[in-house]
Amino acid sequence: MSKTSVQLGFKNGELVNVYQALQGYKLKGRASLGRTWLGKRLADANKQFNEDRTATQKVYFKTDDDGEFVYQADKKTLILKDDYTMDEAQSNFDQLINEVINIDVSQYSERMKALYQSLADYPYELDGQTAEVYAVLFDELEKAFGKGEQR
């Protein structure tokens, strides 16, 4: 019998915030192991996102002979290639930022279940961005492990 794949999905633009919030949660035991494991996967996914972002930028913005970006006089603003508009570039960046990456947590489902349970019973008050990120992370864990589902 094949085991069902359990996936957590996050938008590329959420990866850093989820990672940072996850590191701030006070967790013990298997939940802490789950956090560490998931944190590494989020960091790997963010590294890939950064590579994709740079590759996308090189499509729309000028580079020199060494492949380095060329900036305007303010040394902060990239110079758009003649063939493209800023709207085209922004549209592609928005697509990349909103693209959902899936992390297969099947192999460590017991750790992820422990993380889910610890966050479900989390006794500490959360506010601001940490609370918003908690909601994103908890929703994904609940889809995977909540409502009595056996995965």
Side-chain angles (χ1 to χ4, degrees), residues 31-87:
S32 180
L33 292 173
R35 169 191 42 209
T36 300
W37 185 88
L38 182 57
K40 287 179 183 177
R41 297 326 166 274
L42 291 166
D44 290 345
N46 191 59
K47 181 179 176 186
Q48 182 62 53
F49 167 58
N50 286 330
E51 290 172 8
D52 293 346
R53 184 177 57 195
T54 299
T56 301
Q57 285 176 317
K58 288 187 177 191
V59 169
Y60 294 99
F61 297 99
K62 291 183 180 180
T63 56
D64 62 19
D65 292 337
D66 295 327
E68 300 297 320
F69 290 109
V70 178
Y71 292 88
Q72 293 182 10
D74 66 5
K75 300 196 187 273
K76 295 179 184 176
T77 308
L78 295 174
I79 298 174
L80 197 62
K81 289 181 180 178
D82 294 335
D83 299 344
Y84 298 105
T85 67
M86 188 55 82
D87 286 341

Side-chain angles (χ1 to χ4, degrees), residues 1-114:
M1 179 164 67
S2 66
K3 194 172 189 177
T4 304
S5 176
V6 180
Q7 307 271 325
L8 302 181
F10 302 100
K11 292 179 182 177
N12 279 322
E14 298 171 332
L15 295 172
V16 169
N17 291 337
V18 172
Y19 176 85
Q20 289 175 342
L22 191 59
Q23 299 313 307
Y25 297 140
K26 297 177 183 180
L27 303 169
K28 296 191 257 181
R30 283 186 175 259
S32 180
L33 292 173
R35 169 191 42 209
T36 300
W37 185 88
L38 182 57
K40 287 179 183 177
R41 297 326 166 274
L42 291 166
D44 290 345
N46 191 59
K47 181 179 176 186
Q48 182 62 53
F49 167 58
N50 286 330
E51 290 172 8
D52 293 346
R53 184 177 57 195
T54 299
T56 301
Q57 285 176 317
K58 288 187 177 191
V59 169
Y60 294 99
F61 297 99
K62 291 183 180 180
T63 56
D64 62 19
D65 292 337
D66 295 327
E68 300 297 320
F69 290 109
V70 178
Y71 292 88
Q72 293 182 10
D74 66 5
K75 300 196 187 273
K76 295 179 184 176
T77 308
L78 295 174
I79 298 174
L80 197 62
K81 289 181 180 178
D82 294 335
D83 299 344
Y84 298 105
T85 67
M86 188 55 82
D87 286 341
E88 289 173 309
Q90 189 62 52
S91 174
N92 276 284
F93 287 121
D94 290 346
Q95 287 176 10
L96 185 60
I97 287 168
N98 290 312
E99 181 179 71
V100 175
I101 61 99
N102 290 302
I103 299 172
D104 186 341
V105 297
S106 304
Q107 184 178 4
Y108 290 97
S109 65
E110 292 305 315
R111 292 179 184 186
M112 294 297 104
K113 286 177 189 175

